[in-house]
Amino acid sequence: MEIYWVLGIPLAGGIFLALWGCRKHAPEINALFSLLTLVAAAVLTARIVAEGPMMVGGEGWFFIDSFNVFLVTLTAFVAFTTALFSRPYMRIEQEHGRLNAHRLRLYHSSYQIFIAAMLLALTTNNMGILWVSMEAATLATVLLVSLYRTPASLEAAWKYFILCGVGIAQALFGTILLYFAAEKVLGSGGTALLWTHLNGVKAQLEPTVLQLAFVFLLVGYGTKVGLAPLHNWLPDAHAEGPTPVSAVLSGLLLNVALYAVMRSKVLVDGALGNDMAGNLMMGFGLLSVVLAAFLIKRQTDVKRMFAYSSIEHMGLITFAFGMGGPVANFAALLHMTMHSLTKSAIFFAVGHATQKAGTQLMDGIRGLIKTNPTIGWGLMLGTIAILGVPPFGVFASEFLIITTAMHEHPWATPFLLLALGVAFASIFGKVQPMVFGETELPRLSHQPALAPVFIHLGLVLMLGLFIPPYLAGWYKQAAQLLGG
């Protein structure tokens, strides 16, 4: 079955690279395994589109529908393009003496294990295994964040481990409460935590227990989403880890953690019959958007600035999912796609820019359009896209979210508009001199491989101008599955 290939290829890649990842062609092998995972994900997606949702395994341990297969495809695609970007990037880091062959072996093997854990979290039908896979992803990314072994990177990895460890413990307690409620209806045993079984009897689950469970699940998984006030790990992890890690953290991990929240929300909505879960998500999402927008203005490190931008956008997506309904869910899914593609493209450009400048401080990066036009245009176009300038796709998704908020929750609209305006002014004001400022540095002698940047931005531009009917239908099916 396709699902076993999707999960088995990155797991095999992690084992293979752990044993032979210090060899010369390890970056190419990493990219090859990522490409094979993407192909397997594409085959699985084609089957789901043709045949509809399916369960795999003796008791339905894996469940694939329009919602998670969309995220499987997005995860596999961003993982592949990031592997392509990391191939020259990590070699340059080794040439600069920041990494050695053994650290590169750790990077490549942990990268594949991380992708395997993300895909397992997306495809498992068991809420307990979902928790286990999120914990496995946490452990893998701790190793990636601390890769440079500098005091700052070790501190960032430790903060990431502690905060996300506390968060994942909250999620475990929420999962236990979910099992406690399910056991009375479905009986004891592992099948009581199968999401499809829970979804079938959600109206019979004890509302008070489900209400308490969702609070813990939202706080727990919301920590990994980067929702305020438990967001402090995210800027440090982005700033101190290798840039490819920043790309997959923003483009993949945050999405998967929010996926876990949404699977839980569907159950709680059915059990309670009210908007408690949605209201909590709207509150945390709005707080994250506003707080991150004002913190962006204070940043001097370019990677930290775009990390806070990720917090802002994940807050916006959480707010949209909290509103619920077909339009808001459609807008949130679209924005999730746009953010993953755009933010990873930005980190690709930022990675080469900081390598060439030798610093992550924005004051030390000037005149990219002169020293390397490819990097300069990639960073500027990515910035314009993530700020929601038309005709890029982020504009379309943000427009849908704002107009839905105006119609259903007008009280929140001024806060959203203020936060988006502050973020726009802050980020554009900081990036503009980085790209167009004066510099005395000579033009760089060679062009970096930035094809992934323009592939991502090309997709974001295309989806801003035209969403293919089959893709729009896919989003609509997923939006309806989430209810609200």
Side-chain angles (χ1 to χ4, degrees):
M1 298 295 287
E2 296 87 347
I3 182 63
Y4 298 125
W5 288 104
V6 169
L7 298 175
I9 290 171
L11 182 60
I15 296 171
F16 182 87
L17 289 165
L19 297 174
W20 294 284
C22 57
R23 296 186 178 181
K24 180 179 179 181
H25 296 293
E28 286 77 15
I29 296 171
N30 186 43
L32 176 61
F33 274 107
S34 299
L35 174 60
L36 293 175
T37 304
L38 176 59
V39 172
V43 173
L44 176 64
T45 302
R47 181 172 179 184
I48 297 300
V49 170
E51 301 178 11
M54 69 176 184
M55 284 193 290
V56 182
E59 295 179 326
W61 291 103
F62 299 100
F63 175 65
I64 316 294
D65 61 10
S66 297
F67 180 33
N68 58 358
V69 79
F70 140 72
L71 287 170
V72 166
T73 305
L74 182 62
T75 297
F77 178 76
V78 174
F80 171 59
T81 55
T82 304
L84 289 180
F85 160 74
S86 71
R87 190 173 59 88
Y89 180 89
M90 300 305 282
R91 280 207 169 108
I92 293 172
E93 293 292 271
Q94 185 178 18
E95 291 172 5
H96 289 175
R98 301 191 70 189
L99 295 172
N100 56 33
H102 294 292
R103 297 259 180 86
L104 283 177
R105 177 170 65 182
L106 175 63
Y107 165 78
H108 289 122
S109 60
S110 297
Y111 183 88
Q112 288 296 322
I113 295 297
F114 169 73
I115 300 305
M118 291 291 91
L119 292 171
L120 177 60
L122 289 172
T123 55
T124 182
N125 192 23
N126 189 298
M127 298 297 286
I129 296 177
L130 171 60
W131 180 88
V132 171
S133 57
M134 292 297 296
E135 178 68 6
T138 300
L139 296 176
T141 41
V142 164
L143 297 175
L144 291 170
V145 169
S146 64
L147 194 67
Y148 290 130
R149 298 295 191 271
T150 62
S153 67
L154 291 172
E155 180 185 348
W158 184 247
K159 182 186 289 188
Y160 171 62
F161 179 72
I162 293 297
L163 283 176
C164 288
V166 170
I168 210 74
Q170 306 296 316
L172 174 60
F173 189 65
T175 305
I176 292 170
L177 287 173
L178 190 62
Y179 177 78
F180 177 72
E183 186 182 20
K184 295 181 179 180
V185 179
L186 296 170
S188 60
T191 56
L193 277 176
L194 294 182
W195 186 86
T196 48
H197 292 191
L198 290 166
N199 191 46
V201 299
K202 59 188 176 185
Q204 304 173 42
L205 299 176
E206 174 60 41
T208 306
V209 177
L210 263 289
Q211 191 170 350
L212 186 60
F214 184 76
V215 172
F216 281 100
L217 289 166
L218 177 59
V219 172
Y221 290 128
T223 301
K224 294 189 77 68
V225 178
L227 298 179
L230 296 173
H231 64 281
N232 291 337
W233 65 269
L234 200 150
D236 287 350
H238 279 64
E240 302 304 332
T243 302
V245 177
S246 302
V248 292
L249 282 176
S250 275
L252 303 183
L253 179 65
L254 309 187
N255 286 350
V256 177
L258 189 52
Y259 162 83
V261 173
M262 288 306 299
R263 283 296 194 198
S264 305
K265 179 179 181 290
V266 171
L267 301 177
V268 175
D269 285 345
L272 299 182
N274 59 34
D275 296 329
M276 186 280 292
N279 290 336
L280 275 177
M281 292 183 68
M282 287 171 59
F284 277 105
L286 190 59
L287 175 63
S288 302
V289 172
V290 174
L291 183 64
F294 284 94
L295 287 174
I296 286 171
K297 189 173 178 62
R298 301 177 53 191
Q299 303 310 310
T300 57
D301 182 300
V302 63
K303 289 174 71 176
R304 288 183 69 89
M305 179 181 73
F306 283 114
Y308 277 106
S309 172
S310 293
I311 295 171
E312 176 207 1
H313 284 279
M314 294 311 295
L316 190 61
I317 295 167
T318 303
F319 179 86
F321 277 134
M323 285 192 292
V327 177
N329 287 337
F330 180 95
L333 292 167
L334 181 61
H335 197 69
M336 189 181 278
T337 308
M338 297 301 100
H339 176 256
S340 293
L341 294 173
T342 308
K343 190 57 63 64
S344 52
I346 288 172
F347 277 116
F348 297 159
V350 164
H352 280 304
T354 55
Q355 265 188 342
K356 305 306 180 185
T359 180
Q360 292 180 189
L361 297 177
M362 288 179 275
D363 287 342
I365 305 173
R366 288 290 183 269
L368 289 172
I369 204 73
K370 295 180 181 178
T371 60
N372 195 304
T374 311
I375 295 176
W377 280 116
L379 179 57
M380 180 51 68
L381 290 173
T383 301
I384 289 173
I386 203 64
L387 292 176
V389 176
F392 288 99
V394 178
F395 169 78
S397 56
E398 285 186 349
F399 182 80
L400 280 173
I401 293 171
I402 295 296
T403 52
T404 306
M406 286 180 178
H407 182 261
E408 298 182 7
H409 303 279
W411 60 269
T413 308
F415 296 103
L416 292 173
L417 291 175
L418 174 64
L420 292 175
V422 170
F424 185 101
S426 300
I427 294 177
F428 190 81
K430 292 175 182 293
V431 171
Q432 191 272 338
M434 291 174 60
V435 176
F436 297 108
E438 294 298 324
T439 181
E440 296 180 358
L441 293 174
R443 184 183 175 92
L444 294 175
S445 58
H446 61 280
Q447 296 287 335
L450 284 176
V453 175
F454 294 103
I455 291 171
H456 282 212
L457 293 179
L459 289 171
V460 173
L461 177 61
M462 181 198 77
L463 293 174
L465 295 171
F466 172 71
I467 301 178
Y470 68 89
L471 188 58
W474 190 5
Y475 284 134
K476 288 176 182 175
Q477 287 179 23
Q480 289 170 355
L481 286 172
L482 298 175

